Amino acid sequence: VATGSADCATVAFGIRNVEEPERALAEMFRVLRPGGRAAVLEFSIPRPGIVRACYLPYFRYVLPRIGRLVSGHGSAYTYLPASVADFIAPAVMLSLLGQCGFAETRATPLSFGIVTMYSAVRPPGPPGP
Protein backbone atom coordinates (compact mmCIF):
# COMPACT_ATOMS: atom_id res chain seq x y z
CA VAL A 1 0.00 0.00 0.00
CA ALA A 2 1.34 3.38 -0.96
CA THR A 3 2.39 5.87 1.71
CA GLY A 4 -0.41 8.25 2.68
CA SER A 5 -3.01 6.48 0.57
CA ALA A 6 -5.51 5.09 3.09
CA ASP A 7 -8.31 6.80 4.95
CA CYS A 8 -8.43 4.12 7.63
CA ALA A 9 -6.24 1.29 8.92
CA THR A 10 -7.69 -1.30 11.27
CA VAL A 11 -6.80 -4.52 13.04
CA ALA A 12 -9.04 -6.59 15.30
CA PHE A 13 -7.77 -9.15 17.78
CA GLY A 14 -4.43 -9.48 16.05
CA ILE A 15 -1.96 -6.84 17.23
CA ARG A 16 -1.09 -8.91 20.33
CA ASN A 17 0.13 -11.63 17.94
CA VAL A 18 2.67 -9.34 16.28
CA GLU A 19 6.25 -9.68 17.55
CA GLU A 20 6.88 -5.95 17.34
CA PRO A 21 3.60 -4.05 17.75
CA GLU A 22 5.40 -0.72 17.38
CA ARG A 23 6.45 -1.68 13.83
CA ALA A 24 2.90 -2.66 12.93
CA LEU A 25 1.58 0.63 14.32
CA ALA A 26 4.26 2.56 12.43
CA GLU A 27 3.18 0.81 9.24
CA MET A 28 -0.43 1.78 9.91
CA PHE A 29 0.74 5.37 10.36
CA ARG A 30 2.74 5.23 7.11
CA VAL A 31 -0.17 4.14 4.92
CA LEU A 32 -2.63 6.68 6.34
CA ARG A 33 -3.19 10.01 4.67
CA PRO A 34 -3.08 13.08 6.94
CA GLY A 35 -6.32 13.04 8.91
CA GLY A 36 -6.64 9.26 8.41
CA ARG A 37 -7.76 7.14 11.33
CA ALA A 38 -6.34 4.01 12.91
CA ALA A 39 -8.42 1.61 14.98
CA VAL A 40 -7.10 -1.33 16.95
CA LEU A 41 -9.57 -3.63 18.73
CA GLU A 42 -7.93 -5.97 21.19
CA PHE A 43 -8.78 -8.16 24.17
CA SER A 44 -7.92 -6.71 27.55
CA ILE A 45 -8.18 -7.59 31.21
CA PRO A 46 -11.07 -5.83 32.99
CA ARG A 47 -10.28 -3.51 35.88
CA PRO A 48 -10.44 -4.99 39.37
CA GLY A 49 -14.02 -5.54 40.48
CA ILE A 50 -16.88 -7.96 40.06
CA VAL A 51 -16.51 -8.29 36.26
CA ARG A 52 -12.83 -9.13 36.58
CA ALA A 53 -13.48 -11.54 39.46
CA CYS A 54 -16.01 -13.46 37.34
CA TYR A 55 -14.28 -13.10 33.99
CA LEU A 56 -10.75 -14.23 34.81
CA PRO A 57 -11.66 -17.74 36.05
CA TYR A 58 -13.98 -18.18 33.06
CA PHE A 59 -11.34 -16.93 30.63
CA ARG A 60 -8.50 -19.00 32.12
CA TYR A 61 -10.27 -22.26 32.89
CA VAL A 62 -13.74 -22.57 31.37
CA LEU A 63 -13.15 -21.07 27.90
CA PRO A 64 -10.12 -23.31 27.13
CA ARG A 65 -12.14 -26.41 28.06
CA ILE A 66 -15.06 -25.36 25.89
CA GLY A 67 -12.63 -24.57 23.07
CA ARG A 68 -11.04 -28.02 23.34
CA LEU A 69 -14.46 -29.70 23.26
CA VAL A 70 -15.72 -27.71 20.29
CA SER A 71 -12.55 -27.67 18.21
CA GLY A 72 -11.01 -30.98 19.18
CA HIS A 73 -7.61 -29.24 19.56
CA GLY A 74 -5.99 -29.35 22.98
CA SER A 75 -4.19 -26.04 22.70
CA ALA A 76 -6.75 -24.11 20.64
CA TYR A 77 -7.97 -21.88 23.43
CA THR A 78 -5.15 -22.11 25.96
CA TYR A 79 -3.13 -19.67 23.86
CA LEU A 80 -5.79 -16.95 24.03
CA PRO A 81 -5.71 -16.27 27.81
CA ALA A 82 -1.91 -16.40 27.83
CA SER A 83 -1.58 -13.96 24.93
CA VAL A 84 -4.05 -11.53 26.49
CA ALA A 85 -2.38 -11.68 29.90
CA ASP A 86 1.04 -11.00 28.31
CA PHE A 87 -0.17 -8.16 26.07
CA ILE A 88 0.89 -4.61 26.78
CA ALA A 89 -1.23 -2.41 29.04
CA PRO A 90 -3.51 0.27 27.53
CA ALA A 91 -1.19 3.06 28.72
CA VAL A 92 1.72 1.42 26.90
CA MET A 93 -0.35 0.99 23.72
CA LEU A 94 -1.28 4.68 23.81
CA SER A 95 2.37 5.57 24.30
CA LEU A 96 3.38 3.43 21.30
CA LEU A 97 0.73 5.12 19.14
CA GLY A 98 2.10 8.52 20.18
CA GLN A 99 5.69 7.45 19.50
CA CYS A 100 4.63 6.43 15.99
CA GLY A 101 3.36 9.95 15.36
CA PHE A 102 -0.35 9.51 16.00
CA ALA A 103 -2.45 12.20 17.67
CA GLU A 104 -5.82 12.09 19.40
CA THR A 105 -4.99 8.68 20.85
CA ARG A 106 -7.73 7.04 22.91
CA ALA A 107 -8.31 3.74 24.70
CA THR A 108 -12.00 2.97 25.11
CA PRO A 109 -12.90 -0.09 27.20
CA LEU A 110 -15.80 -2.08 25.74
CA SER A 111 -17.80 -5.05 27.05
CA PHE A 112 -16.96 -4.19 30.67
CA GLY A 113 -13.25 -3.93 29.81
CA ILE A 114 -12.99 -7.35 28.16
CA VAL A 115 -11.92 -5.60 24.97
CA THR A 116 -10.42 -2.18 24.32
CA MET A 117 -10.78 -0.02 21.22
CA TYR A 118 -7.69 2.05 20.56
CA SER A 119 -8.16 4.91 18.13
CA ALA A 120 -5.78 7.49 16.74
CA VAL A 121 -5.45 10.03 13.94
CA ARG A 122 -2.55 10.78 11.65
CA PRO A 123 -2.16 14.53 12.07
CA PRO A 124 -1.84 16.90 9.11
CA GLY A 125 1.65 17.76 7.99
CA PRO A 126 4.75 15.91 6.85
CA PRO A 127 5.23 12.22 7.62
CA GLY A 128 6.16 11.43 11.20
CA PRO A 129 8.88 9.19 12.60
Side-chain angles (χ1 to χ4, degrees):
V1 177
T3 298
S5 64
D7 291 326
C8 184
T10 65
V11 61
F13 306 115
I15 199 78
R16 76 180 183 289
N17 297 313
V18 175
E19 281 189 38
E20 298 177 53
E22 60 279 0
R23 288 184 64 195
L25 297 173
E27 183 64 8
M28 292 174 80
F29 184 89
R30 182 191 69 77
V31 302
L32 288 173
R33 65 166 176 74
R37 297 186 175 274
V40 176
L41 184 66
E42 193 53 76
F43 285 108
S44 51
I45 302 295
R47 293 182 189 189
I50 190 72
V51 171
R52 182 182 179 128
C54 295
Y55 175 71
L56 287 180
Y58 165 79
F59 194 56
R60 290 181 181 152
Y61 305 111
V62 177
L63 181 64
R65 286 189 174 126
I66 293 171
R68 279 193 292 276
L69 285 171
V70 172
S71 71
H73 293 94
S75 63
Y77 285 81
T78 55
Y79 166 75
L80 181 60
S83 69
V84 172
D86 291 341
F87 189 60
I88 57 179
V92 175
M93 176 63 104
L94 292 174
S95 177
L96 289 176
L97 286 164
Q99 289 171 29
C100 290
F102 284 104
E104 299 178 41
T105 59
R106 290 189 179 88
T108 306
L110 303 170
S111 299
F112 304 104
I114 293 170
V115 296
T116 299
M117 171 64 78
Y118 301 95
S119 59
V121 175
R122 180 175 175 161

